[in-house]
Amino acid sequence: MAHHDSTASPGWSTFTWIAIGVLALGMVATLAFRTLESIKQGGAKRKCTSNLKQIGLALVLYQQKNDESLPDRDGLPFLSALYEQGFLPDANDYLCPDSSEAAATTPWLDGRSCSYVGRRNTGSLRLTSKTIAKFGSRTALAADSTFDPHLDYRNVLFADGHVEEVDEDTYLRLYDPIMGR
């Protein structure tokens, strides 16, 4: 009489159990990878938002030292004034972690060392504390320089210091017209 193993399920081979185990491990690994990727993206998103808020604080300091006026420059030079004059001296604060730019190694910023762009602020569009109060807190001061880093939105810094994710159409309405593009 043949001996029957009471621990094995009838009809299930060792190979089947190994295949089920490998499949389960693959599913766990996939979930873990997705979770880690989500955590990484969340960290990059928070760092980008934090960088723009740091730029906002540096703009407040700049205003306090410059008769309540913002830098009299357009676009990237608007932000570069903060770096050059020491209001925000850490070159890494001008980089979105999702972008390809590298920290500045010079005493000025350029398109290869800054992920953000400042508003147009020369001529009749010049902003001071009074004009910002007139235009309101939805006045955009800085934003991601391209749509690429976050794929479906840009971060925008507003005059009241908050940073908001906006889609490209909203960005164009809020921000691009004052950039003169």
Side-chain angles (χ1 to χ4, degrees), residues 92-148:
N92 291 307
D93 289 333
Y94 299 91
L95 298 174
C96 173
D98 286 335
S99 69
S100 61
E101 291 85 10
T105 56
T106 60
W108 63 86
L109 299 175
D110 60 29
R112 294 179 307 273
S113 61
C114 186
S115 306
Y116 308 109
V117 64
R119 67 167 286 118
R120 182 174 166 188
N121 198 41
T122 57
S124 63
L125 295 174
R126 190 136 191 244
L127 285 181
T128 65
S129 297
K130 290 178 185 175
T131 55
I132 288 174
K134 177 182 173 185
F135 293 131
S137 64
R138 296 286 298 166
T139 302
L141 298 179
D144 288 315
S145 60
T146 67
F147 195 58
D148 297 335

Short mmCIF file of all heavy atoms in Angstrom, two decimals, residues 92-148:
data_model
loop_
_atom_site.label_atom_id
_atom_site.label_comp_id
_atom_site.label_asym_id
_atom_site.label_seq_id
_atom_site.Cartn_x
_atom_site.Cartn_y
_atom_site.Cartn_z
N ASN A 92 21.00 75.84 -4.18
CA ASN A 92 20.08 74.70 -4.26
C ASN A 92 18.63 75.11 -4.05
O ASN A 92 17.72 74.38 -4.44
CB ASN A 92 20.48 73.63 -3.24
CG ASN A 92 21.78 72.96 -3.62
OD1 ASN A 92 21.93 72.47 -4.73
ND2 ASN A 92 22.74 72.98 -2.71
N ASP A 93 18.39 76.26 -3.43
CA ASP A 93 17.02 76.73 -3.23
C ASP A 93 16.36 77.18 -4.53
O ASP A 93 15.16 77.45 -4.54
CB ASP A 93 16.99 77.88 -2.21
CG ASP A 93 17.27 77.40 -0.80
OD1 ASP A 93 16.98 76.22 -0.50
OD2 ASP A 93 17.78 78.20 0.00
N TYR A 94 17.11 77.26 -5.59
CA TYR A 94 16.58 77.68 -6.89
C TYR A 94 16.36 76.48 -7.81
O TYR A 94 16.13 76.65 -9.00
CB TYR A 94 17.53 78.68 -7.56
CG TYR A 94 17.71 79.94 -6.75
CD1 TYR A 94 18.74 80.05 -5.82
CD2 TYR A 94 16.85 81.01 -6.91
CE1 TYR A 94 18.90 81.21 -5.07
CE2 TYR A 94 17.00 82.18 -6.16
CZ TYR A 94 18.03 82.25 -5.25
OH TYR A 94 18.18 83.40 -4.50
N LEU A 95 16.44 75.28 -7.26
CA LEU A 95 16.33 74.06 -8.06
C LEU A 95 15.13 73.22 -7.64
O LEU A 95 15.01 72.87 -6.47
CB LEU A 95 17.59 73.20 -7.93
CG LEU A 95 18.89 73.83 -8.40
CD1 LEU A 95 20.05 72.92 -8.05
CD2 LEU A 95 18.84 74.10 -9.89
N CYS A 96 14.30 72.88 -8.59
CA CYS A 96 13.23 71.91 -8.34
C CYS A 96 13.86 70.53 -8.42
O CYS A 96 14.59 70.24 -9.37
CB CYS A 96 12.14 72.06 -9.40
SG CYS A 96 10.88 70.77 -9.29
N PRO A 97 13.62 69.66 -7.44
CA PRO A 97 14.23 68.33 -7.47
C PRO A 97 13.80 67.48 -8.67
O PRO A 97 14.48 66.53 -9.02
CB PRO A 97 13.79 67.68 -6.17
CG PRO A 97 12.88 68.61 -5.50
CD PRO A 97 12.82 69.89 -6.26
N ASP A 98 12.69 67.83 -9.31
CA ASP A 98 12.23 67.08 -10.48
C ASP A 98 12.81 67.61 -11.79
O ASP A 98 12.47 67.12 -12.85
CB ASP A 98 10.70 67.11 -10.56
CG ASP A 98 10.06 66.22 -9.53
OD1 ASP A 98 10.69 65.25 -9.08
OD2 ASP A 98 8.90 66.49 -9.15
N SER A 99 13.66 68.64 -11.73
CA SER A 99 14.19 69.23 -12.96
C SER A 99 15.61 68.75 -13.21
O SER A 99 16.21 68.09 -12.36
CB SER A 99 14.16 70.75 -12.86
OG SER A 99 15.12 71.19 -11.91
N SER A 100 16.16 69.11 -14.35
CA SER A 100 17.50 68.65 -14.72
C SER A 100 18.59 69.69 -14.48
O SER A 100 19.76 69.42 -14.73
CB SER A 100 17.50 68.27 -16.21
OG SER A 100 17.16 69.40 -17.00
N GLU A 101 18.24 70.87 -13.98
CA GLU A 101 19.24 71.90 -13.76
C GLU A 101 20.17 71.51 -12.61
O GLU A 101 19.82 70.70 -11.76
CB GLU A 101 18.58 73.25 -13.43
CG GLU A 101 17.85 73.89 -14.58
CD GLU A 101 16.41 73.39 -14.72
OE1 GLU A 101 15.91 72.68 -13.83
OE2 GLU A 101 15.80 73.68 -15.76
N ALA A 102 21.36 72.14 -12.59
CA ALA A 102 22.34 71.90 -11.53
C ALA A 102 22.59 73.21 -10.79
O ALA A 102 22.42 74.30 -11.36
CB ALA A 102 23.64 71.38 -12.13
N ALA A 103 22.99 73.12 -9.54
CA ALA A 103 23.22 74.31 -8.72
C ALA A 103 24.27 75.23 -9.34
O ALA A 103 25.23 74.77 -9.94
CB ALA A 103 23.64 73.91 -7.31
N ALA A 104 24.06 76.52 -9.18
CA ALA A 104 24.98 77.52 -9.72
C ALA A 104 26.35 77.39 -9.06
O ALA A 104 26.46 77.13 -7.87
CB ALA A 104 24.43 78.92 -9.49
N THR A 105 27.37 77.58 -9.87
CA THR A 105 28.73 77.63 -9.35
C THR A 105 29.33 79.02 -9.57
O THR A 105 30.49 79.24 -9.30
CB THR A 105 29.61 76.57 -10.06
OG1 THR A 105 29.56 76.80 -11.47
CG2 THR A 105 29.13 75.17 -9.74
N THR A 106 28.49 79.93 -10.04
CA THR A 106 28.90 81.31 -10.30
C THR A 106 28.11 82.22 -9.37
O THR A 106 27.14 81.79 -8.75
CB THR A 106 28.58 81.69 -11.77
OG1 THR A 106 27.16 81.55 -11.97
CG2 THR A 106 29.31 80.79 -12.75
N PRO A 107 28.50 83.50 -9.29
CA PRO A 107 27.74 84.40 -8.41
C PRO A 107 26.43 84.89 -9.02
O PRO A 107 25.81 85.80 -8.52
CB PRO A 107 28.71 85.56 -8.18
CG PRO A 107 29.76 85.44 -9.21
CD PRO A 107 29.72 84.06 -9.76
N TRP A 108 25.96 84.30 -10.09
CA TRP A 108 24.68 84.65 -10.70
C TRP A 108 23.98 83.35 -11.13
O TRP A 108 24.58 82.30 -11.19
CB TRP A 108 24.88 85.58 -11.90
CG TRP A 108 25.66 84.95 -13.00
CD1 TRP A 108 25.18 84.17 -14.02
CD2 TRP A 108 27.08 85.01 -13.19
NE1 TRP A 108 26.20 83.73 -14.82
CE2 TRP A 108 27.38 84.24 -14.34
CE3 TRP A 108 28.12 85.63 -12.52
CZ2 TRP A 108 28.68 84.08 -14.81
CZ3 TRP A 108 29.40 85.47 -13.00
CH2 TRP A 108 29.67 84.71 -14.12
N LEU A 109 22.71 83.46 -11.40
CA LEU A 109 21.93 82.31 -11.87
C LEU A 109 21.75 82.42 -13.37
O LEU A 109 21.67 83.51 -13.92
CB LEU A 109 20.55 82.31 -11.21
CG LEU A 109 20.51 82.20 -9.69
CD1 LEU A 109 19.07 82.33 -9.20
CD2 LEU A 109 21.11 80.90 -9.21
N ASP A 110 21.63 81.27 -14.02
CA ASP A 110 21.26 81.25 -15.43
C ASP A 110 20.28 80.12 -15.65
O ASP A 110 19.88 79.44 -14.70
CB ASP A 110 22.51 81.13 -16.33
CG ASP A 110 23.30 79.85 -16.07
OD1 ASP A 110 22.70 78.83 -15.66
OD2 ASP A 110 24.52 79.87 -16.30
N GLY A 111 19.87 79.90 -16.89
CA GLY A 111 18.87 78.89 -17.20
C GLY A 111 19.30 77.47 -16.87
O GLY A 111 18.48 76.58 -16.78
N ARG A 112 20.60 77.26 -16.68
CA ARG A 112 21.09 75.92 -16.33
C ARG A 112 21.18 75.74 -14.82
O ARG A 112 21.45 74.65 -14.34
CB ARG A 112 22.46 75.69 -16.96
CG ARG A 112 22.41 75.64 -18.49
CD ARG A 112 23.80 75.42 -19.08
NE ARG A 112 24.78 76.40 -18.59
CZ ARG A 112 25.00 77.59 -19.13
NH1 ARG A 112 24.31 77.97 -20.16
NH2 ARG A 112 25.92 78.40 -18.64
N SER A 113 20.98 76.81 -14.05
CA SER A 113 21.15 76.71 -12.60
C SER A 113 19.92 77.18 -11.83
O SER A 113 20.00 77.40 -10.63
CB SER A 113 22.36 77.53 -12.16
OG SER A 113 22.19 78.90 -12.48
N CYS A 114 18.80 77.34 -12.53
CA CYS A 114 17.58 77.78 -11.85
C CYS A 114 16.37 77.12 -12.49
O CYS A 114 16.20 77.17 -13.71
CB CYS A 114 17.45 79.30 -11.93
SG CYS A 114 16.06 79.96 -10.97
N SER A 115 15.55 76.49 -11.68
CA SER A 115 14.35 75.79 -12.17
C SER A 115 13.12 76.68 -12.19
O SER A 115 12.07 76.27 -12.64
CB SER A 115 14.03 74.60 -11.26
OG SER A 115 15.13 73.76 -11.12
N TYR A 116 13.25 77.90 -11.68
CA TYR A 116 12.10 78.78 -11.52
C TYR A 116 12.30 80.06 -12.33
O TYR A 116 13.39 80.39 -12.74
CB TYR A 116 11.91 79.12 -10.03
CG TYR A 116 11.86 77.90 -9.16
CD1 TYR A 116 12.91 77.60 -8.30
CD2 TYR A 116 10.78 77.02 -9.22
CE1 TYR A 116 12.89 76.46 -7.52
CE2 TYR A 116 10.76 75.88 -8.44
CZ TYR A 116 11.81 75.60 -7.59
OH TYR A 116 11.78 74.48 -6.82
N VAL A 117 11.20 80.74 -12.53
CA VAL A 117 11.25 82.01 -13.24
C VAL A 117 10.46 83.03 -12.42
O VAL A 117 9.44 82.71 -11.82
CB VAL A 117 10.70 81.87 -14.68
CG1 VAL A 117 9.24 81.49 -14.70
CG2 VAL A 117 10.95 83.12 -15.50
N GLY A 118 10.96 84.25 -12.38
CA GLY A 118 10.28 85.33 -11.67
C GLY A 118 9.39 86.11 -12.62
O GLY A 118 9.49 85.99 -13.84
N ARG A 119 8.57 86.94 -12.05
CA ARG A 119 7.63 87.70 -12.85
C ARG A 119 8.32 88.83 -13.60
O ARG A 119 9.44 89.19 -13.28
CB ARG A 119 6.52 88.26 -11.97
CG ARG A 119 6.99 89.33 -10.99
CD ARG A 119 5.85 90.10 -10.35
NE ARG A 119 5.26 91.01 -11.28
CZ ARG A 119 3.99 90.94 -11.69
NH1 ARG A 119 3.19 90.06 -11.21
NH2 ARG A 119 3.52 91.79 -12.56
N ARG A 120 7.63 89.39 -14.55
CA ARG A 120 8.11 90.57 -15.24
C ARG A 120 7.86 91.75 -14.31
O ARG A 120 6.77 91.91 -13.79
CB ARG A 120 7.32 90.72 -16.55
CG ARG A 120 7.76 91.89 -17.36
CD ARG A 120 7.04 91.85 -18.69
NE ARG A 120 7.22 93.14 -19.33
CZ ARG A 120 6.60 93.50 -20.42
NH1 ARG A 120 5.76 92.67 -20.99
NH2 ARG A 120 6.82 94.67 -20.94
N ASN A 121 8.90 92.56 -14.09
CA ASN A 121 8.75 93.63 -13.12
C ASN A 121 9.48 94.90 -13.54
O ASN A 121 10.11 95.57 -12.73
CB ASN A 121 9.23 93.18 -11.74
CG ASN A 121 8.70 94.08 -10.64
OD1 ASN A 121 7.53 94.45 -10.69
ND2 ASN A 121 9.52 94.43 -9.68
N THR A 122 9.42 95.21 -14.81
CA THR A 122 9.98 96.48 -15.27
C THR A 122 8.88 97.27 -15.95
O THR A 122 7.81 96.75 -16.27
CB THR A 122 11.15 96.27 -16.26
OG1 THR A 122 10.68 95.48 -17.35
CG2 THR A 122 12.32 95.57 -15.58
N GLY A 123 9.14 98.54 -16.17
CA GLY A 123 8.16 99.39 -16.84
C GLY A 123 6.92 99.60 -16.01
O GLY A 123 6.97 99.71 -14.79
N SER A 124 5.78 99.60 -16.66
CA SER A 124 4.52 99.92 -15.98
C SER A 124 4.01 98.79 -15.08
O SER A 124 3.10 98.99 -14.31
CB SER A 124 3.44 100.25 -17.03
OG SER A 124 3.21 99.11 -17.84
N LEU A 125 4.61 97.60 -15.17
CA LEU A 125 4.18 96.47 -14.37
C LEU A 125 4.91 96.37 -13.03
O LEU A 125 4.73 95.42 -12.29
CB LEU A 125 4.40 95.15 -15.13
CG LEU A 125 3.58 94.98 -16.40
CD1 LEU A 125 4.01 93.71 -17.11
CD2 LEU A 125 2.11 94.91 -16.07
N ARG A 126 5.73 97.33 -12.71
CA ARG A 126 6.56 97.27 -11.50
C ARG A 126 5.70 97.13 -10.24
O ARG A 126 4.77 97.89 -10.01
CB ARG A 126 7.41 98.53 -11.41
CG ARG A 126 8.44 98.42 -10.34
CD ARG A 126 9.76 98.92 -10.81
NE ARG A 126 10.73 98.54 -9.80
CZ ARG A 126 11.40 99.42 -9.09
NH1 ARG A 126 11.27 100.69 -9.30
NH2 ARG A 126 12.24 99.00 -8.18
N LEU A 127 6.07 96.16 -9.41
CA LEU A 127 5.31 95.89 -8.20
C LEU A 127 6.00 96.41 -6.95
O LEU A 127 7.21 96.27 -6.80
CB LEU A 127 5.10 94.39 -8.03
CG LEU A 127 4.09 93.72 -8.93
CD1 LEU A 127 4.01 92.25 -8.61
CD2 LEU A 127 2.73 94.35 -8.80
N THR A 128 5.21 96.97 -6.09
CA THR A 128 5.63 97.35 -4.74
C THR A 128 4.61 96.75 -3.79
O THR A 128 3.62 96.14 -4.22
CB THR A 128 5.66 98.88 -4.57
OG1 THR A 128 4.31 99.36 -4.70
CG2 THR A 128 6.55 99.56 -5.60
N SER A 129 4.82 96.94 -2.50
CA SER A 129 3.84 96.45 -1.52
C SER A 129 2.46 97.04 -1.79
O SER A 129 1.44 96.35 -1.66
CB SER A 129 4.28 96.81 -0.11
OG SER A 129 5.49 96.18 0.20
N LYS A 130 2.42 98.31 -2.18
CA LYS A 130 1.14 98.97 -2.43
C LYS A 130 0.44 98.40 -3.67
O LYS A 130 -0.77 98.18 -3.65
CB LYS A 130 1.35 100.47 -2.60
CG LYS A 130 1.73 101.15 -1.31
CD LYS A 130 1.97 102.63 -1.53
CE LYS A 130 2.48 103.26 -0.23
NZ LYS A 130 2.84 104.66 -0.39
N THR A 131 1.20 98.17 -4.73
CA THR A 131 0.55 97.63 -5.93
C THR A 131 0.12 96.18 -5.73
O THR A 131 -0.90 95.76 -6.25
CB THR A 131 1.44 97.77 -7.18
OG1 THR A 131 2.70 97.16 -6.92
CG2 THR A 131 1.62 99.21 -7.58
N ILE A 132 0.89 95.42 -4.94
CA ILE A 132 0.48 94.05 -4.64
C ILE A 132 -0.82 94.07 -3.85
O ILE A 132 -1.74 93.28 -4.10
CB ILE A 132 1.58 93.28 -3.87
CG1 ILE A 132 2.74 92.98 -4.82
CG2 ILE A 132 1.03 91.99 -3.27
CD1 ILE A 132 3.93 92.36 -4.15
N ALA A 133 -0.92 94.98 -2.88
CA ALA A 133 -2.17 95.11 -2.11
C ALA A 133 -3.33 95.45 -3.04
O ALA A 133 -4.44 94.95 -2.87
CB ALA A 133 -2.01 96.17 -1.04
N LYS A 134 -3.06 96.26 -4.04
CA LYS A 134 -4.10 96.64 -5.01
C LYS A 134 -4.52 95.45 -5.88
O LYS A 134 -5.70 95.21 -6.10
CB LYS A 134 -3.59 97.78 -5.88
CG LYS A 134 -4.55 98.21 -6.95
CD LYS A 134 -3.94 99.30 -7.80
CE LYS A 134 -4.80 99.63 -8.99
NZ LYS A 134 -4.18 100.59 -9.89
N PHE A 135 -3.53 94.68 -6.38
CA PHE A 135 -3.83 93.56 -7.27
C PHE A 135 -4.30 92.32 -6.53
O PHE A 135 -4.96 91.47 -7.08
CB PHE A 135 -2.61 93.20 -8.13
CG PHE A 135 -2.22 94.28 -9.11
CD1 PHE A 135 -0.91 94.70 -9.19
CD2 PHE A 135 -3.16 94.88 -9.93
CE1 PHE A 135 -0.54 95.68 -10.09
CE2 PHE A 135 -2.80 95.86 -10.82
CZ PHE A 135 -1.49 96.27 -10.90
N GLY A 136 -3.93 92.18 -5.28
CA GLY A 136 -4.40 91.07 -4.47
C GLY A 136 -3.43 89.92 -4.34
O GLY A 136 -2.38 89.89 -4.98
N SER A 137 -3.81 88.99 -3.50
CA SER A 137 -2.93 87.87 -3.16
C SER A 137 -2.73 86.90 -4.31
O SER A 137 -1.83 86.08 -4.27
CB SER A 137 -3.48 87.13 -1.95
OG SER A 137 -4.74 86.55 -2.26
N ARG A 138 -3.55 86.97 -5.35
CA ARG A 138 -3.39 86.06 -6.50
C ARG A 138 -2.36 86.57 -7.49
O ARG A 138 -2.23 86.03 -8.58
CB ARG A 138 -4.73 85.87 -7.22
CG ARG A 138 -5.80 85.19 -6.40
CD ARG A 138 -5.63 83.73 -6.18
NE ARG A 138 -5.64 82.95 -7.41
CZ ARG A 138 -5.25 81.69 -7.48
NH1 ARG A 138 -4.83 81.07 -6.42
NH2 ARG A 138 -5.28 81.05 -8.60
N THR A 139 -1.58 87.58 -7.10
CA THR A 139 -0.51 88.06 -7.96
C THR A 139 0.62 87.05 -7.94
O THR A 139 1.19 86.76 -6.88
CB THR A 139 0.01 89.43 -7.46
OG1 THR A 139 -1.08 90.34 -7.43
CG2 THR A 139 1.10 89.97 -8.36
N ALA A 140 0.94 86.49 -9.09
CA ALA A 140 2.00 85.49 -9.19
C ALA A 140 3.35 86.17 -9.18
O ALA A 140 3.56 87.16 -9.88
CB ALA A 140 1.82 84.68 -10.47
N LEU A 141 4.27 85.64 -8.36
CA LEU A 141 5.62 86.22 -8.27
C LEU A 141 6.68 85.33 -8.90
O LEU A 141 7.67 85.83 -9.43
CB LEU A 141 5.98 86.49 -6.81
CG LEU A 141 5.11 87.50 -6.08
CD1 LEU A 141 5.58 87.65 -4.64
CD2 LEU A 141 5.11 88.84 -6.79
N ALA A 142 6.52 84.02 -8.81
CA ALA A 142 7.49 83.08 -9.36
C ALA A 142 6.79 81.76 -9.63
O ALA A 142 5.73 81.48 -9.07
CB ALA A 142 8.66 82.88 -8.40
N ALA A 143 7.41 80.95 -10.48
CA ALA A 143 6.81 79.66 -10.83
C ALA A 143 7.87 78.74 -11.42
O ALA A 143 8.98 79.18 -11.74
CB ALA A 143 5.69 79.85 -11.85
N ASP A 144 7.51 77.45 -11.55
CA ASP A 144 8.38 76.54 -12.29
C ASP A 144 8.62 77.12 -13.67
O ASP A 144 7.68 77.62 -14.31
CB ASP A 144 7.70 75.17 -12.46
CG ASP A 144 7.64 74.37 -11.18
OD1 ASP A 144 8.66 74.30 -10.47
OD2 ASP A 144 6.58 73.79 -10.90
N SER A 145 9.85 77.05 -14.16
CA SER A 145 10.15 77.68 -15.45
C SER A 145 9.60 76.89 -16.63
O SER A 145 9.39 77.45 -17.69
CB SER A 145 11.66 77.88 -15.61
OG SER A 145 12.33 76.64 -15.54
N THR A 146 9.38 75.60 -16.43
CA THR A 146 8.78 74.79 -17.51
C THR A 146 7.70 73.91 -16.93
O THR A 146 7.63 73.68 -15.72
CB THR A 146 9.82 73.89 -18.21
OG1 THR A 146 10.27 72.91 -17.28
CG2 THR A 146 10.99 74.69 -18.75
N PHE A 147 6.90 73.36 -17.81
CA PHE A 147 5.82 72.46 -17.43
C PHE A 147 6.36 71.05 -17.20
O PHE A 147 5.73 70.23 -16.58
CB PHE A 147 4.78 72.49 -18.55
CG PHE A 147 3.45 71.91 -18.17
CD1 PHE A 147 2.72 72.42 -17.12
CD2 PHE A 147 2.92 70.86 -18.89
CE1 PHE A 147 1.48 71.90 -16.78
CE2 PHE A 147 1.68 70.33 -18.57
CZ PHE A 147 0.96 70.85 -17.51
N ASP A 148 7.55 70.76 -17.72
CA ASP A 148 8.09 69.40 -17.73
C ASP A 148 8.33 68.74 -16.38
O ASP A 148 8.02 67.57 -16.22
CB ASP A 148 9.41 69.36 -18.52
CG ASP A 148 9.20 69.73 -19.97
OD1 ASP A 148 8.07 69.54 -20.46
OD2 ASP A 148 10.15 70.21 -20.61
#
